[in-house]
Amino acid sequence: SGDFSYSSMVGMLLYLAGHSRPDITYAVNCAARYMFCPKHSHELALKRIGRYLKATRNHGLVLNPSKELKIDDYPDADFAGMYGYEVSSDPSCVKSRTGYTITVADFPVVWQSKLQTETATSTMEAEIIALAHSAKELFPIMDMVDLLGNAVGLPVGDTTMNVSIHEDNLGALILAETLPP
């Protein structure tokens, strides 16, 4: 249509998904996959996301942060999530999806959902890739928590910090524990 810019709309929705509306992250990332050759059905999907945002504009999350400065990481992966649902010759259909949420004091500070750049050959491999991507985000967050904790007078450990990673795949847990640091 005349005034409708698909890429501009996806950009605005990506900003919302990354900053204040984590509930639309998956849908917006799916729409972003067709940024360079959208069809009418993709335009309709964006309009549906817009209607959802309009209908839920008065809804919100009630978050109660804890007084303990702890960091929790919740990674997960969907192994070859689109396999069999789209064009079988499209290599992006066999990509796994990484998703994670990192919380500080039980308050989400980082969340992401995106296709993995690597093609995983097993569920364990997809989970390890998700674990690695989320762990990379932990180091700057640990530094931030240390700085903020000291600034507001909350106790933070001197050299170590309690960071919990909640992984749901036993194979990935065993591999992560046996890998050298």
Side-chain angles (χ1 to χ4, degrees):
S1 7
D3 297 323
F4 187 81
S5 170
Y6 187 85
S7 59
S8 176
M9 181 65 89
V10 168
M12 288 185 270
L13 290 172
L14 283 169
Y15 179 84
L16 276 178
H19 290 84
S20 62
R21 294 299 299 258
D23 53 330
I24 64 169
T25 302
Y26 179 75
V28 174
N29 281 329
C30 287
R33 292 174 65 189
Y34 302 98
M35 189 99 89
F36 298 106
C37 93
K39 297 179 181 170
H40 182 67
S41 60
H42 302 123
E43 184 178 324
L44 294 176
L46 285 187
K47 290 180 179 180
R48 184 174 184 175
I49 294 170
R51 285 193 302 273
Y52 169 79
L53 288 171
K54 185 177 178 184
T56 60
R57 68 179 174 262
N58 293 325
H59 296 119
L61 297 173
V62 178
L63 301 169
N64 296 315
S66 69
K67 297 198 185 309
E68 179 187 356
L69 266 182
K70 63 177 183 160
I71 300 173
D72 291 299
D73 182 9
Y74 300 92
D76 201 6
D78 178 21
F79 174 62
M82 299 301 291
Y83 183 73
Y85 292 101
E86 290 186 2
V87 182
S88 59
S89 61
D90 182 6
S92 68
C93 292
V94 297
K95 297 284 187 183
S96 300
R97 180 165 291 279
T98 288
Y100 58 87
T101 301
I102 299 174
T103 63
V104 175
D106 295 329
F107 192 86
V109 292
V110 176
W111 58 85
Q112 190 169 48
S113 171
K114 67 177 186 175
L115 286 180
Q116 294 177 353
T117 54
E118 305 86 359
T119 302
T121 57
S122 69
T123 304
M124 182 184 74
E125 185 179 358
E127 293 279 349
I128 284 290
I129 292 168
L131 180 61
H133 282 282
S134 69
K136 280 193 277 186
E137 296 289 331
L138 285 173
F139 295 108
I141 291 172
M142 290 167 63
D143 292 340
M144 176 197 67
V145 167
D146 187 35
L147 286 171
L148 291 176
N150 291 329
V152 297
L154 291 172
V156 179
D158 291 334
T159 57
T160 61
M161 189 177 297
N162 184 17
V163 176
S164 299
I165 299 177
H166 306 270
E167 176 60 55
D168 64 350
N169 184 283
L170 184 61
L173 281 172
I174 291 170
L175 184 61
E177 288 176 358
T178 59
L179 288 175

